[in-house]
Amino acid sequence: MNCAGNVFKPLLRAILTAKTRKLDGRRFASNVLQSFSMEGKVCVVTGAARGLGKTFCRAFAESGCTSLAILDLKHEEAQAAAAEELKTAAGRTQMDKLDFVGIECDISSEESVQDAFSQVMSRWGRVDAVVANAGTYPADKMKRLYDINVHGTMFTAREAAKNMIPAGKGSIVLIASMSGSIVNTPQVQTPYNASKAAVKHLAASLAVEWAEKGLRVNSLSPGYMLTDLLKAVIATDDKGLKDIWEAMTPMKRMGNPDDLKGAIVYLCSDASKFVTGVDLRVDGGYSVL
Ligand SMILES: NC(=O)c1ccc[n+]([C@@H]2O[C@H](COP(=O)([O-])OP(=O)(O)OC[C@H]3O[C@@H](n4cnc5c(N)ncnc54)[C@H](O)[C@@H]3O)[C@@H](O)[C@H]2O)c1
């Protein structure tokens, strides 16, 4: 065999035998960078019965996570979301390897957060990645908004850390918003913006406090994302908000929840093992203008 044959034959064999996966109608080899894998990690996501939290759970499952706790206000809704994720993941992974659970938790109550984490610990004995995602918008109930967005996020991070510190490792991601860095217009939403600025600084401060304990804390700041909730808001809006928001975004579109999948997996996986105290904005360029 000539020299070219020697080189190309093993390469061709490798290409033909490589496992492939389909995504967006395109085929990809499954041998992607291993540090992005969520295999073997116990993951917890708050406010995950719907919206972005549900997308984060899907991203973890698609990246190999088999131990997942979905926390939300109502037990039935958390359970239903866990059952749906289990069904979706079962197409890829052997059913008996999957352990997804829905847990009732109101993050604005420290006791409720402690109880939820004790259920996670008694089920798996450890927790590796926690996404403090639960949040709310209504500006007319400012105290409640702060109880959830700020105090609830802190309770979640603290409880995650208490359980991660003995293991000397773990990744915590606080879901902030680009509203923590910019002032949205034309709608007014001062209490929400200020609450998200607090979330960003919680992440930066906790990152420094817990760095030597082996924990990483980062925030993820989405821009305008087309969740079902926001789709419903837009459907009844007569001010043309969607057009205005898109015109103000350099990429000229709103985000799809799926646009956040790569960012959340990056921050929670070993791919970002030297990254802490960062705020990762995923906003189509909105906040750099
Ligand atoms: N959708 C966006 O465009 C956008 C943009 C930037 C940031 N965010 C942030 O992302 C996060 C998720 O937003 P979303 O749009 O998916 O919201 P959503 O309202 O669709 O979902 C929020 C989930 O959190 C749960 N929840 C609310 N209060 C809770 C509490 N006290 N305890 C536990 N669970 C609670 C709800 O039941 C719901 O399942 C929020 O922190 C939000 O501020 C969203």
Side-chain angles (χ1 to χ4, degrees):
M1 188 191 291
N2 61 24
C3 182
N6 279 339
V7 174
F8 288 119
K9 212 170 164 190
L11 190 65
L12 189 65
R13 196 181 307 122
I15 292 168
L16 291 174
T17 55
K19 281 189 201 152
T20 59
R21 282 191 302 163
K22 245 184 152 182
L23 183 69
D24 297 337
R26 290 177 294 158
R27 229 165 229 301
F28 292 90
S30 61
N31 51 342
V32 292
L33 194 63
Q34 266 308 298
S35 57
F36 278 88
S37 173
M38 295 301 288
E39 264 173 61
K41 291 198 189 290
V42 175
C43 300
V44 174
V45 185
T46 67
R50 65 165 196 233
L52 300 185
K54 205 169 168 195
T55 301
F56 297 146
C57 291
R58 184 72 52 94
F60 290 153
E62 286 174 356
S63 303
C65 165
T66 53
S67 309
L68 174 66
I70 289 178
L71 275 50
D72 213 294
L73 283 172
K74 292 199 178 124
H75 187 243
E76 317 77 63
E77 290 178 12
Q79 287 279 30
E84 192 187 329
E85 289 315 307
L86 205 59
K87 209 170 144 203
T88 311
R92 283 184 310 271
T93 314
Q94 243 176 281
M95 192 70 169
D96 61 358
K97 289 195 176 141
L98 296 170
D99 190 9
F100 295 176
V101 64
I103 298 175
E104 181 174 311
C105 175
D106 176 352
I107 61 154
S108 67
S109 151
E110 191 166 13
E111 211 179 15
S112 177
V113 176
Q114 283 168 347
D115 180 61
F117 273 88
S118 75
Q119 289 184 53
V120 168
M121 291 307 284
S122 54
R123 195 176 187 101
W124 292 296
R126 63 172 214 283
V127 56
D128 302 299
V130 171
V131 183
N133 162 76
T136 188
Y137 305 95
D140 55 335
K141 300 185 184 106
M142 192 160 159
K143 280 192 176 159
R144 181 70 185 145
L145 186 140
Y146 275 79
D147 275 346
I148 297 171
N149 291 10
V150 183
H151 304 145
T153 300
M154 180 65 197
F155 296 152
T156 307
R158 191 158 59 197
E159 216 44 42
K162 266 190 217 161
N163 290 292
M164 287 170 170
I165 284 171
K169 62 185 169 78
S171 171
I172 300 170
V173 178
L174 311 185
I175 303 303
S177 166
M178 69 172 179
S179 308
S181 307
I182 53 98
V183 176
N184 305 68
T185 57
Q187 74 280 18
V188 289
Q189 49 177 65
T190 295
Y192 178 81
N193 296 350
S195 77
K196 291 300 181 176
V199 170
K200 258 179 61 183
H201 210 57
L202 278 179
S205 306
L206 294 175
V208 174
E209 275 187 38
W210 296 335
E212 287 186 27
K213 311 267 184 210
L215 309 197
R216 298 187 295 110
V217 189
N218 295 289
S219 55
L220 172 60
S221 284
Y224 290 116
M225 308 306 292
L226 264 177
T227 55
D228 290 341
L229 193 83
L230 221 51
K231 278 184 194 161
V233 170
I234 287 165
T236 57
D237 157 60
D238 55 7
K239 298 183 193 79
L241 282 178
K242 183 169 183 280
D243 291 342
I244 297 170
W245 294 340
E246 286 182 340
M248 293 173 81
T249 306
M251 290 184 79
K252 300 299 171 211
R253 68 171 177 90
M254 290 180 66
N256 293 309
D258 277 6
D259 293 331
L260 297 170
K261 281 181 171 176
I264 199 70
V265 170
Y266 169 66
L267 291 176
C268 288
S269 67
D270 297 344
S272 60
K273 66 184 175 196
F274 196 49
V275 176
T276 199
V278 152
D279 177 54
L280 178 53
R281 293 188 318 256
V282 182
D283 62 0
Y286 189 104
S287 44
V288 290
L289 278 186

